[in-house]
Structure formats: C-alpha cells, structure tokens
Amino acid sequence: MSRTVYVNGEFLPEENAKISVFDRGFLFADAVYEVCPVLGGGIADADAHLARLARSLKELQFPDHYSASEYLPLLKTLVRNNKLEEGLIYIQVTRGTQDRDFNFPQNTDPSVVMFTQAKNVVDNPQVKTGISVVTVPDIRWQRCDIKTVGLLPACLAKAEATRQGANDAWMHDNDGNITEGSSNNAYIITGEGKLVTRHLSNAILHGITRVSVLKLVEQANLVLEERPFSIAEAENAAEAFSSSASSFVMPVTTINGNRISDGKPGSNTLKLRELCINAAIQSAATTQATTPGRVAKAHSA
Ligand code: PMP
C-alpha cells in the first residue's frame, strides 16, 4: 500500500512525492534530519526531537523556518493518514533548491520532507540474543552533534560491520576511545554497577534516547559515569548496549568477537530497556494522533 508522504506543504502518495535534482540536500548533503519513534499511534519525545531539529538548523545557519508548534500537527496528520500504530517518522529539512553553487542561497525556502516507516520497535527479535559489534575508526567531521544527512561514514562503518559478519559498528577516536555507534549512542556497564557512556561534546550526537536512559540510571540502581571509554574496556565490560530512537536500548553481546560476560543480554541492560520503552509509551500517549494505542507495556525478557 502506498504511503502518504509530506513534501513542502502537501500530503502526497509516495509515488508522487518528489524533490528537485537541484535540491541542496541531494547535491551537498546540505540537510538535517530527525527520526522519532511512534508507539500506540503517538509520537514519543516529540518536543525533544523538534528542539534538536531546531538546534541543528540554527547551527547550520538555516533561515527561520517552521517552529516546533507548526511541526507537531503535521506529524500527527502524517501518522493518522498512514494509520501508523508503531514505527518511525523521518523528517528531513534541506536548504532548498537553487542552481548548483557552494554559497548558501539567498531567499530560498528550505525543503521539508516527512515520511513514516512501520516497524516493530518494541518487539524486536534482536533483543533476545543481543547484537554483535566491531570497532572502526571514526572518520566523521568535527560537528557530529549536528544531525546532518552526511551519513556516508556511518554507511561505511555499517558496511564494514556487515563484511565482518557483525550487526553494527562502534566508532573510535584516535586515542582508541569509543565515540558512538554508527547510528546510536554506545554504553558499557562495569562489574561495579557503573553505567559508562561518552560525555556530550561535538564528537557525538546528543541522542534523545540517551537523555531518557540517563534519567533512568538511579531507578535501575546504577551509577552514571559520563567519560570516554576504551575499546579494551568495552570488550571486558560486564554489559554493553546501544541506544537510539529506532531501537531504544539494544543489548550488545559481542564486541570484536569477544563475548560480553556470558554472551547473553545483561540484566541491567534489559531493565533499562523496559524502563526506557515504558517512558516512551507514556510520552507517546501525550501526542496521540490515532485512536488510543495497543502497545503493550514492555517486560524484561
Ligand atoms: N548517534 C548517532 C550517530 C545517530 O545517528 C543516532 C540516531 N540517529 C544516535 C546517536 C541516537 O540518537 P537518538 O537517540 O536521538 O535516536
């Protein structure tokens, strides 16, 4: 069935949803994006995602554009038109269309595209086994805090993981410390119950799910340490996981072929996943676009 896609003010069947070849998103990756989870027909953490979108646009000197309050009704209409109960909304804003020129255009409206993807984000079979990751050098630019569509380094990292038979890649800086995953934030839990994740800086994306996870640390009886951690520390951790809007908390059970503890998803990780999903369900219920949802509460596996 054809999806309804939002393009520059119109809700269109996906086959009619088109962008110019002169769009700067296409020519220069001059564009930013967001991915929001949809649970029970509501949008989780909508405010936080829209605030990060506004920040990305500001950091890249985009002209003033839709405000968060203008986005929310559009997102809800998109969810409703697509009868989306569970999955993701993708939002992309480009600097607009102009004859190819490195200079930023004057008086050009940004292009806005939004679409939905149906996906079982809660009932993800990979959670049962956990995923394997390999580490690769982080070859991205120095503003990884801005969520741009310049995702080729992330695609290369993921392709390298696939080549090595792993599910994902964690990237490391020149000092051998993990920055983040190819499309997620990275965490380890030590044997002493410390949750370690890299501190915020321009080296990582400030994940919205990361904010949720850090709020739950105390409830999960863990102690937070925001600092760099090395590849070796990760390989020898008691537990490991990644977080993102599309996977919430995903257990990592193998790093560079080394099993993490007994090679099964860790109990603290699964607890954090349960708490994180329940918080997302509560948040989504406040931005309900369809009839009250059918998403069951999350339970530890
Ligand atoms: N880091 C990177 C590089 C990402 O691409 C993503 C997800 N897009 C994340 C972290 C996680 O961010 P969020 O929790 O907001 O999805």
Side-chain angles (χ1 to χ4, degrees):
M1 204 188 70
S2 168
R3 272 173 293 188
T4 298
V5 173
Y6 177 91
V7 185
N8 293 332
E10 289 185 285
F11 289 93
L12 300 166
E14 66 178 68
E15 53 279 13
N16 298 344
K18 304 232 161 78
I19 283 280
S20 164
V21 294
F22 297 106
D23 191 274
R24 293 181 61 91
F26 178 64
L27 295 175
F28 296 110
D30 188 357
V32 301
Y33 76 107
E34 275 300 322
V35 177
C36 315
V38 173
L39 293 169
I43 305 149
D45 299 322
D47 293 348
H49 283 283
L50 292 174
R52 185 173 62 186
L53 177 64
R55 177 183 181 274
S56 295
L57 292 167
K58 186 158 175 279
E59 290 299 312
L60 295 177
Q61 303 154 50
F62 270 61
D64 272 346
H65 184 55
Y66 304 174
S67 65
S69 61
E70 285 166 290
Y71 268 110
L72 200 53
L74 296 174
L75 295 175
K76 286 186 181 179
T77 305
L78 196 67
V79 169
R80 204 166 35 242
N81 287 359
N82 287 290
K83 298 187 176 56
L84 185 67
E85 279 296 315
E86 189 174 331
L88 304 166
I89 303 182
Y90 177 88
I91 311 169
Q92 179 170 328
V93 183
T94 86
R95 206 181 300 267
T97 300
Q98 182 209 33
D99 199 7
R100 188 171 182 277
D101 184 350
F102 280 76
N103 266 316
F104 290 160
Q106 302 298 317
N107 309 319
T108 297
D109 285 334
S111 304
V112 180
V113 171
M114 302 188 227
F115 58 79
T116 54
Q117 288 182 299
K119 189 177 175 201
N120 287 341
V121 281
V122 174
D123 217 354
N124 184 336
Q126 284 190 315
V127 175
K128 290 217 161 47
T129 51
I131 61 164
S132 53
V133 303
V134 290
T135 54
V136 299
D138 192 339
I139 60 166
R140 300 174 302 164
W141 72 332
Q142 292 176 17
R143 290 305 305 272
C144 296
D145 58 310
I146 307 174
K147 198 164 167 63
T148 80
V149 301
L151 292 172
L152 203 46
C155 293
L156 285 169
K158 190 88 177 183
E160 177 58 18
T162 303
R163 197 188 65 76
Q164 292 188 36
N167 300 116
D168 199 4
W170 278 10
M171 297 175 284
H172 65 81
D173 61 18
N174 291 338
D175 299 325
N177 290 318
I178 302 294
T179 50
E180 58 186 333
S182 64
S183 58
N184 40 64
N185 290 115
Y187 310 73
I188 54 170
I189 301 177
T190 67
E192 299 80 48
K194 289 190 176 137
L195 177 71
V196 185
T197 193
R198 196 177 174 109
H199 57 286
L200 294 182
S201 70
N202 290 357
I204 65 167
L205 186 75
H206 302 186
I208 304 301
T209 322
R210 182 183 183 280
V211 174
S212 302
V213 168
L214 297 202
K215 273 190 201 151
L216 298 166
V217 166
E218 251 178 66
Q219 225 178 311
N221 287 322
L222 296 166
V223 174
L224 177 64
E225 271 187 21
E226 287 179 272
R227 61 165 173 83
F229 60 90
S230 68
I231 298 169
E233 202 179 352
E235 288 171 349
N236 293 298
E239 298 184 31
F241 67 91
S242 59
S243 79
S244 71
S246 57
S247 67
F248 299 108
V249 168
M250 176 55 68
V252 170
T253 44
T254 309
I255 301 178
N256 292 332
N258 299 288
R259 271 197 324 185
I260 304 304
S261 292
D262 61 358
K264 299 206 177 89
S267 56
N268 291 301
T269 300
L270 292 175
K271 180 75 193 162
L272 279 172
R273 179 177 170 84
E274 180 188 343
L275 294 170
C276 183
I277 290 175
N278 287 339
I281 290 171
Q282 274 183 22
S283 164
T286 64
T287 50
Q288 202 82 47
T290 60
T291 47
R294 298 191 299 264
V295 178
K297 279 192 108 193
H299 299 288
S300 299

